[in-house]
Amino acid sequence: MAYADQEEIYDRLEQLSDHETTSSFAVAYYELIADYLAGDGRGSQGLRLRFLEFLEVVERYHRALEVFATEDQVTLGNVRSSAQKRDIGLRVLLEQLAMDETTGAAEIGRLLLSAECYSQLAAVDRVVERLEAALEVGAEHPLVQFALGYNRYELATQAFTRFSPESGRREIDDEDRFRLTCLSAVSAFQDGLTGEAFDGHIHWWIGNVLQAAGFEDAAQASFERAAEILAEPGAYGLDKQAEAGLGLVWEADLDPGAWDDTGPITEDEVRQVRALLRRSYSASDVMNG
């Protein structure tokens, strides 16, 4: 049974996808949220209205970006003002979502929507927490695993690396925790493998994360697997924004080549990778371990 608000959601998603500044991954993630909120319970109905509010805030922001792109003179103040208006709307929505009480599929939708709000606010630790919570209540979807892997990787760069003015590069502050968080990201990526064409992109990301953590041999194996899959008929590519997880942190910010070498990896460490990847890590594990 289709509801008027559900139909409006898909209409808004179609409009949002028309904006060049909207990533294809973001649209797919939003469609997943819509699917989880398609139920007929009061919780689902209320959350659909929240989701419509979110889409309105986001689309307004993207419309502003497109206007700026056509203007001869764009001030930093105008861009900042649009971002601030978006952020205010997202923070108000997060307060409302925190008070909603739901179960089942609606709860998964609520957590995924909260994760996206935090993602647009660049609160990566909160994103990871919400995605992990969604998985705990049944969100076993490859897009969720991919988002979790990407954001765990971003969490590693934010928490355990810093920019060095002297070298002009990011340097690792806490090598052990950086590697541990990278391995937790790889674990999430691996859980998102389905045997479909998108696996090629997941293996590519696994290779980059392992390379950043210093596991060169394992990284090379992932790159080779990615190349094999992407060379197969039916494989497809994603634009740069889509490859950037939720579309908020650009690939350049996560370039493993921008960090100093983490040091040589012993054969014993390489053998430990497989065992480590079988473990399950939460945000609190990697931040407080």
Side-chain angles (χ1 to χ4, degrees):
M1 179 178 181
Y3 297 92
D5 51 12
Q6 189 176 354
E7 294 177 354
E8 186 178 354
I9 284 173
Y10 286 109
D11 288 341
R12 283 189 174 274
L13 286 174
E14 186 175 352
Q15 295 172 16
L16 189 59
S17 65
D18 290 336
H19 295 287
E20 294 183 359
T21 51
T22 304
S23 75
S24 54
F25 180 91
V27 173
Y29 185 87
Y30 299 164
E31 290 175 346
L32 180 62
I33 294 175
D35 290 342
Y36 279 119
L37 299 181
D40 56 2
R42 292 184 62 182
S44 295
Q45 293 172 7
L47 285 169
R48 285 198 292 273
L49 296 178
R50 305 271 196 237
F51 192 32
L52 282 169
E53 292 175 18
F54 166 82
L55 293 174
E56 182 179 352
V57 169
V58 172
E59 188 181 1
R60 187 185 306 122
Y61 175 68
H62 285 285
R63 283 201 304 267
L65 292 182
E66 289 192 349
V67 170
F68 294 151
T70 62
E71 294 180 345
D72 294 332
Q73 293 183 338
V74 180
T75 67
L76 180 60
N78 288 339
V79 176
R80 183 181 292 119
S81 176
S82 294
Q84 288 175 340
K85 291 177 181 177
R86 177 202 61 184
D87 293 354
I88 290 172
L90 294 176
R91 293 185 189 280
V92 170
L93 183 57
L94 280 168
E95 292 178 358
Q96 296 170 336
L97 289 169
M99 294 185 293
D100 290 327
E101 296 183 2
T102 55
T103 58
E107 174 63 4
I108 295 174
R110 185 186 73 86
L111 290 167
L112 295 182
L113 179 54
S114 297
E116 175 63 3
C117 290
Y118 280 122
S119 182
Q120 301 223 17
L121 293 170
V124 182
D125 56 337
R126 298 290 183 87
V127 177
V128 171
E129 289 172 357
R130 295 307 185 275
L131 291 173
E132 289 174 347
L135 287 167
E136 288 178 1
V137 295
E140 297 179 359
H141 193 282
L143 283 177
V144 180
Q145 296 287 2
F146 183 83
L148 177 58
Y150 181 87
N151 281 281
R152 281 179 173 174
Y153 184 27
E154 168 61 4
L155 184 61
T157 68
Q158 286 193 7
F160 307 122
T161 73
R162 61 178 177 82
F163 179 77
S164 170
E166 291 79 13
S167 65
R169 307 171 68 179
R170 296 198 70 84
E171 297 177 351
I172 298 172
D173 278 335
D174 189 327
E175 187 172 304
D176 290 340
R177 289 191 181 182
F178 177 77
R179 286 178 174 171
L180 177 62
T181 314
C182 284
L183 289 175
S184 76
V186 171
S187 179
F189 281 134
Q190 288 182 327
D191 287 341
L193 294 171
T194 63
E196 303 294 333
F198 188 65
D199 283 3
H201 297 281
I202 295 179
H203 281 292
W204 183 85
W205 270 104
I206 289 173
N208 275 279
V209 176
L210 288 172
Q211 185 178 66
F215 297 102
E216 294 291 344
D217 291 343
Q220 186 58 38
S222 292
F223 286 136
E224 292 174 359
R225 181 57 183 146
E228 291 174 2
I229 296 174
L230 293 175
E232 295 174 357
Y236 56 91
L238 292 176
D239 58 35
K240 184 176 181 180
Q241 285 178 300
E243 288 182 345
L246 295 180
L248 296 170
V249 185
W250 302 109
E251 184 178 326
D253 298 325
L254 299 179
D255 180 9
W259 305 322
D260 284 345
D261 188 1
T262 58
I265 303 299
T266 67
E267 292 184 6
D268 183 61
E269 286 178 313
V270 173
R271 286 195 296 270
Q272 291 177 28
V273 172
R274 288 179 180 265
L276 286 168
L277 293 181
R278 295 192 186 100
R279 295 178 55 187
S280 176
Y281 302 97
S282 67
S284 60
D285 288 334
V286 297
M287 296 299 291
N288 303 318

